Amino acid sequence: MTAFRSLSVAMFKGFFRERVALFFTFLMPLMFLVIFGLIFGSSSSSKTKIDVVGDGPVLSALQQTGIVEFQHVDSFDTAVQAVRSGDVPAAISVQGNQVQLRYAASDSVQAGTVQAVIRSVVDHVNLAASGKPPTVTLDSQQVEDSSLTAIQYLTPGILSWGLATSAIFGSALTLVNWRKKQVLRRIRLAPVSTGTVISSRLLVTIGTTVLQAILFIAVAMTPVFGLKLAGQWWLALPLLIIGSLSFFSIGVLVGSIAKSEEAATGITNVIVLPMAFLSGTFFPVQNAPQWLQTVSEVLPLRHLNDGMVDVLVRGKGIEALVTPAAVLLAFTLVVAFAASRFFSWEDS
């Protein structure tokens, strides 16, 4: 127990003396929170700006949707030129009963949104002008709490990615550095087991995970971003700890294979960056091809993200942790076994 405590304290002190490690562990995830929070934080930023010429019931109905923001211009030719230049995704002209829409196919997302909304508005205006009651009515409501803002959906992915990055980098570089400096060799000669060394580093990873989560959520809850914790939000903490075990095992495997810090950094980057994009950290993975979605199912970050969204966004209870926790623990066991086969105390 004394050896475990001494190693843990030494690793904690070593970690907090590394300024680069502190930056990537605590500040870099916060930078992404600030960037995405400011981009998607305001409600006005979600509106699509389009150039408009004319007036009438179509434009009035279109403006009431709250999806588009009008920029009135003098002529339709000027508006179309703005679309060609990429200044706006679309331009609309309303002269009496004639509606003209010009859009940029290069901006497929916003142009598609504008086309769908305008078609819906035109159909609604035509139906109202006919005097006939609608044959089909639509009752549309979101299933989540209507008070949720964009930060609520951004927090799970960015926080999980930040924890994954620090856990993998931290454990991998520590092992490689200690092996290079023959710290592991000296520890091996002492009456200390491999389990004590690994568990003490694991304690550092879990402690860092808790600190990261507290700092990240505290910043996200400030009035600037407006994160709201509701329901059984505290279930995110055990899920993050279980997730850190998976990422720690990846780091130990990388640290066991790599012979230098440069190699460990390169291997970790090859793992972390694709995993972040394939796990839905920065965009919904449901939009990816089916084969990529299948690949993402074996990635621990995908299941951590899914569990975090269920708890923090969808308001689910402890039942939402069963599948993600089981997958993460199974992944940890498999990768930890592989790491044990490659682990060495000294450079070969």
Side-chain angles (χ1 to χ4, degrees), residues 69-251:
E69 181 178 343
F70 289 171
Q71 295 183 152
H72 290 275
V73 295
D74 296 331
S75 70
F76 193 47
D77 290 338
T78 302
V80 172
Q81 185 58 44
V83 175
R84 289 198 178 100
S85 302
D87 298 329
V88 291
I92 183 173
S93 171
V94 179
Q95 303 296 331
N97 293 328
Q98 184 180 17
V99 179
Q100 297 183 73
L101 174 65
R102 301 293 182 267
Y103 60 89
S106 57
D107 194 346
S108 58
V109 176
Q110 288 191 319
T113 301
V114 171
Q115 288 183 80
V117 171
I118 292 178
R119 284 196 183 102
S120 176
V121 168
V122 169
D123 290 342
H124 176 75
V125 172
N126 284 332
L127 180 62
S130 69
K132 296 180 180 179
T135 304
V136 179
T137 59
L138 173 65
D139 181 12
S140 175
Q141 298 179 17
Q142 72 177 58
V143 295
E144 297 90 359
D145 186 350
S146 59
S147 65
L148 297 182
T149 58
I151 194 65
Q152 208 81 23
Y153 302 94
L154 294 171
T155 296
I158 298 178
L159 176 57
S160 300
W161 167 74
L163 297 179
T165 301
S166 63
I168 298 175
F169 270 99
S171 53
L173 293 178
T174 296
L175 277 182
V176 172
N177 183 268
W178 281 24
R179 189 185 299 114
K180 255 180 97 175
K181 295 181 178 179
Q182 296 189 340
V183 175
L184 289 180
R185 182 176 181 275
R186 291 194 292 270
I187 292 176
R188 185 186 187 186
L189 296 176
V192 180
S193 65
T194 305
T196 301
V197 176
I198 298 298
S199 59
S200 60
R201 187 59 185 82
L202 177 59
L203 178 63
V204 174
T205 298
I206 293 176
T208 304
T209 295
V210 174
L211 290 176
Q212 273 185 288
I214 292 174
L215 178 62
F216 191 93
I217 291 176
V219 173
M221 289 180 65
T222 58
V224 176
F225 304 107
L227 174 67
K228 296 180 180 179
L229 298 179
Q232 302 181 59
W233 59 268
W234 51 269
L235 291 174
L237 186 58
L239 187 60
L240 288 172
I241 293 176
I242 295 173
S244 69
L245 298 179
S246 297
F247 305 128
F248 174 78
S249 66
I250 296 175

Side-chain angles (χ1 to χ4, degrees), residues 291-303:
W291 68 272
L292 278 179
Q293 295 186 42
T294 303
V295 171
S296 73
E297 291 290 344
V298 302
L299 302 176
L301 186 55
R302 165 71 187 274
H303 296 279

Side-chain angles (χ1 to χ4, degrees), residues 12-32:
F12 266 114
K13 289 182 178 179
F15 171 78
F16 283 101
R17 286 170 183 163
E18 289 288 341
R19 295 181 179 179
V20 175
L22 291 175
F23 170 80
F24 282 101
T25 300
F26 296 108
L27 294 184
M28 192 169 72
L30 290 177
M31 287 172 56
F32 277 84

Side-chain angles (χ1 to χ4, degrees), residues 278-333:
L278 292 176
S279 299
T281 298
F282 302 111
F283 62 88
V285 73
Q286 290 80 6
N287 297 333
Q290 185 59 48
W291 68 272
L292 278 179
Q293 295 186 42
T294 303
V295 171
S296 73
E297 291 290 344
V298 302
L299 302 176
L301 186 55
R302 165 71 187 274
H303 296 279
L304 179 58
N305 283 341
D306 290 347
M308 291 285 287
V309 169
D310 284 341
V311 172
L312 292 179
V313 177
R314 300 190 177 107
K316 294 185 179 181
I318 196 169
E319 72 281 355
L321 303 187
V322 176
T323 299
V327 173
L328 290 170
L329 289 174
F331 182 91
T332 301
L333 293 175

